[in-house]
């Protein structure tokens, strides 16, 4: 736009953190009759951008392929899946090798299933990760209503809601550039669910990009 002094003002657009273009995901499956195989397309030419400081919500019914989107980004699809299209993080293609380096550092994943927690490791160690900080972990536990004693428990000793809060704490521990949250609020009270979304908003205001995958359009 032109300013009052006749000089050209430019409004810089936030950096693109995650860019997806024409993503198509298909699965090779055996037919219900006979031994032949068929290809089932579950994501159809999906494109989206998530910029720095932005929350983008992907909302759809259960079974519509939302979680497959997260798995495609993070290279977690099974071997019978085929992916076409472009997925970029900070302008560079997302490869299996690159995702492995980025996850837990720059990219945080909040999975839909609490089974992602290691059943053989105490939860405080899982939240802290290899770059662990006990002080931050304890502060996050307090924020999400988890007593300090919870850190010394194993996942099987937690309720579903507690386990989900542990996953959220682990995701925000390292102040990531991108959070991929796949149904992060089931099992939480409405108060905690709203607090989680407020935390995402706060992190986005500080520059984090958030991809929120959910079926809960009201929330």
């Amino acid at each position: 736009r032109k300013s009052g002094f006749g000089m050209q003002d430019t409004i810089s657009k936030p950096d693109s953190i995650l860019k997806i273009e024409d993503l198509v995901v298909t699965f090779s499956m055996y037919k219900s009759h006979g031994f032949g195989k068929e290809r089932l397309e579950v994501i159809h030419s999906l494109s989206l951008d998530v910029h720095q400081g932005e929350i983008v919500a992907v909302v759809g019914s259960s079974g519509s392929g939302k979680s497959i989107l997260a798995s495609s980004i993070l290279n977690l699809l099974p071997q019978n899946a085929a992916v076409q299209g472009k997925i970029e993080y900070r302008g560079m293609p997302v490869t299996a090798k690159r995702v492995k380096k980025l996850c837990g550092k720059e990219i945080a994943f909040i999975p839909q299933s609490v089974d992602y927690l290691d059943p053989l490791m105490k939860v405080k160690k899982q939240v802290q990760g290899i770059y662990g900080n006990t002080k931050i972990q304890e502060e996050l536990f307090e924020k999400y209503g988890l007593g300090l004693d919870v850190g010394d428990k194993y996942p099987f000793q937690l309720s579903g809601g507690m386990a989900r809060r542990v996953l959220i704490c682990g995701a925000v521990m390292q102040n990531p550039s991108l959070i991929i949250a796949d149904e992060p609020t089931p099992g939480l009270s409405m108060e905690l669910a709203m607090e989680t979304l407020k935390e995402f908003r706060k992190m986005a205001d500080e520059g984090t990009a958030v991809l929120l995958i959910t079926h809960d359009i009201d929330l």
Side-chain angles (χ1 to χ4, degrees):
R1 67 181 188 274
K2 293 282 185 72
S3 72
F5 297 99
M7 298 178 66
Q8 190 76 25
D9 287 344
T10 58
I11 301 175
S12 60
K13 192 173 184 180
D15 292 338
S16 176
I17 301 297
L18 177 68
K19 185 178 185 66
I20 297 174
E21 290 185 353
D22 294 324
L23 178 67
V24 177
V25 180
T26 58
F27 287 90
S28 176
M29 305 176 68
Y30 284 102
K31 295 180 179 179
S32 56
H33 55 280
F35 296 98
K37 285 188 175 183
E38 59 184 354
R39 301 201 70 82
L40 175 65
E41 187 172 299
V42 293
I43 294 182
H44 324 282
S45 299
L46 173 68
S47 297
L48 61 84
D49 282 294
V50 189
H51 292 89
Q52 184 179 4
E54 183 177 47
I55 298 176
V56 173
V58 177
V59 186
S61 60
S62 297
S64 60
K66 303 184 306 298
S67 293
I68 291 172
L69 170 61
S71 296
S72 302
I73 298 167
L74 298 168
N75 193 44
L76 296 175
L77 290 172
Q79 290 185 345
N80 67 324
V83 179
Q84 295 176 293
K86 182 188 296 183
I87 302 176
E88 294 181 345
Y89 173 77
R90 292 190 178 275
M92 296 291 291
V94 174
T95 63
K97 185 177 180 180
R98 191 167 182 231
V99 164
K100 190 174 181 179
K101 289 182 178 179
L102 292 170
C103 278
K105 300 177 185 176
E106 294 188 37
I107 299 177
F109 178 44
I110 302 176
Q112 182 175 357
S113 173
V114 297
D115 291 339
Y116 271 77
L117 290 170
D118 186 338
L120 302 178
M121 184 185 295
K122 291 182 178 180
V123 296
K124 67 180 180 183
K125 293 297 184 183
Q126 299 191 53
V127 170
Q128 291 173 16
I130 59 176
Y131 306 99
N133 184 306
T134 301
K135 184 175 183 294
I136 296 176
Q137 172 253 309
E138 291 179 348
E139 289 174 351
L140 287 170
F141 273 30
E142 182 178 1
K143 175 184 288 188
Y144 283 95
L146 297 168
L148 295 183
D149 61 308
V150 172
D152 289 318
K153 296 182 182 295
Y154 291 92
F156 76 89
Q157 297 174 298
L158 307 179
S159 67
M162 291 170 70
R164 188 158 297 281
R165 281 177 274 166
V166 167
L167 287 170
I168 294 170
C169 290
V172 302
M173 182 78 185
Q174 297 297 330
N175 192 25
S177 297
L178 171 65
I179 293 177
I180 300 172
D182 184 11
E183 299 282 10
T185 55
L188 301 182
S189 66
M190 179 56 70
E191 181 182 359
L192 273 173
M194 292 303 296
E195 186 62 35
T196 300
L197 295 186
K198 287 178 182 177
E199 183 67 20
F200 288 160
R201 180 68 266 168
K202 179 182 176 183
M203 294 185 72
D205 289 341
E206 294 173 351
T208 303
V210 180
L211 179 62
L212 174 63
I213 297 171
T214 182
H215 71 278
D216 194 338
I217 193 168
D218 291 334
L219 186 65

